[in-house]
Amino acid sequence: YTIYLDGLTGRVPSLPMSFAELERRAEAAMSPELWSYVAGGAGDERTQRANVTAFDGWGLMPRMLAGAAERDLSVELFGRRLPTPLLLAPVGVIGLCGDDGHGDLTTARAAGTMGVPMIASTLSQDPMEDVAAALGDTPGWFQLYPPNDRELTESLVHRAEAAGFTALVVTLDTLTLGWRPRDLALASFPQLAGECLANYLSDPVFRSRLAAPPEEDPQAATGLWATLFGNQRLSWDDLAWLRSLTSLPLLLKGICDPDDARRAVDGGVDGIYCSNHGGRQANGGLPALDCLPGVVDAVGDTPVVFDSGVRGGPDVVKALALGARAVAIGRPYAYGLAVGGQGGIEHVLRCLLAETDLTLAIDGYASVGALDRTALRRVR
Ligand code: FNR
């Protein structure tokens, strides 16, 4: 109740209390190029919008006198108990949402303070080793965009293991970039991504591919990166090789089709990451939330992580009730960083956790484990 009681003495929060206000303030804090990159999506953005409105299609059934005075928000993932069901989704160029050129480290510190694991993107302003160190005791996962170069892929994965990341997320929906009109209009992506190549520039294999060190010829390094970034030829035949690269828990990100999910589990992955990249890749697709139950049903006990469109506590609860083991957010924390630095991310997480907790309390669910699909009804 502290936040309500503060109001009695005239104290009101200086940071935004609603997602709409957070979005408005983030836009004001960012350059037009950065805003178009972070807030934008593929095509006319109807899939991005549908990701958010899909949550309106489910209603939570409140249960009275259900003994939820104390709630347990913890979840178990890959043999670890995490204090909350939230994760920070990988956001390439998150660094640029901060104001000191080290926003990836700021994000890691916020994640560390809140005990919310950060999934560190391949596209980062700081090398993954520094990001892992800034997380402290909070686990971090490394997200890999598999480059078009096996030796470089292997090097990035081995570095992630050595740095102490506790899981590897391989993103499959970005083997080529989506059609993003806002980016195209302002040429945002090449400018912004070019500033987030620390994981490549610090990599011995990447450096060995260059005629001159990147410090001497940065343009050549960016050019090489552009040719190596995606790998459209990656196929299910490569899964055994990807699996062989690491003993860390391996998740595939971008899986929406139950058949793909089953195939991934048969191929030895440890987790499925159901996501449509926040509507940034293919427009015209299903809202990610509508894909979640089918993916969960296809994979038995294999944990499913979900993201795309989560904006508030009830959304977190609905995704968990549909079978997600944990729920990640992307844009909300990027906006938090732009608006308030480390404190801004922590604020976004605190608000989301408080609203998740209160939703469980008021609706009568004492733990994340008490949620299943009987908590939901379709809204007509
Ligand atoms: C992303 N996302 C992303 N995913 C990934 O696997 N690697 C990455 O580097 C990035 N980069 C990235 C940049 C920006 C600016 C955004 C907004 C998103 C996708 C991200 O992990 C996640 O799937 C979505 O952000 C989830 O949707 P919401 O929460 O933004 O609606």
Side-chain angles (χ1 to χ4, degrees), residues 25-206:
R25 298 220 344 224
E27 181 174 6
M30 291 182 187
S31 68
E33 289 79 12
L34 186 60
W35 174 251
S36 76
Y37 182 74
V38 177
D44 64 4
E45 299 177 356
R46 68 179 67 187
T47 298
Q48 180 174 333
R49 286 191 295 278
N51 280 341
V52 175
T53 53
F55 286 91
D56 299 341
W58 292 103
L60 285 158
M61 181 59 80
R63 303 188 314 186
M64 296 301 108
L65 304 176
E70 273 136 39
R71 273 87 53 202
D72 178 4
L73 261 65
S74 71
V75 294
E76 171 137 347
L77 257 179
F78 309 128
R80 247 172 233 270
R81 183 126 306 256
L82 303 173
T84 85
L86 296 185
L87 304 165
L88 297 184
V91 171
V93 321
I94 185 68
L96 298 170
C97 299
D99 56 9
D100 65 352
H102 298 285
D104 295 87
L105 300 183
T106 309
T107 303
R109 282 189 210 105
T113 307
M114 296 299 297
V116 171
M118 169 184 179
I119 311 176
S121 170
T122 311
L123 287 172
S124 169
Q125 278 192 307
D126 284 284
M128 62 175 97
E129 290 79 4
D130 296 352
V131 175
L135 277 161
D137 294 335
T138 295
W141 299 358
F142 183 70
Q143 176 268 327
L144 177 75
Y145 279 133
N148 188 13
D149 177 325
R150 279 198 167 199
E151 214 189 325
L152 176 58
T153 308
E154 288 169 14
S155 177
L156 291 168
V157 172
H158 292 149
R159 284 175 59 197
E161 276 189 343
F165 287 99
T166 59
L168 179 71
V169 174
V170 178
T171 300
L172 299 179
D173 59 17
T174 314
L175 304 179
T176 181
L177 270 193
W179 180 255
R180 299 183 193 164
R182 293 206 225 186
D183 280 11
L184 290 165
L186 297 176
S188 309
F189 181 73
Q191 293 175 47
L192 301 174
E195 291 183 49
C196 298
L197 303 184
N199 281 326
Y200 301 87
L201 303 182
S202 58
D203 192 274
V205 175
F206 184 82

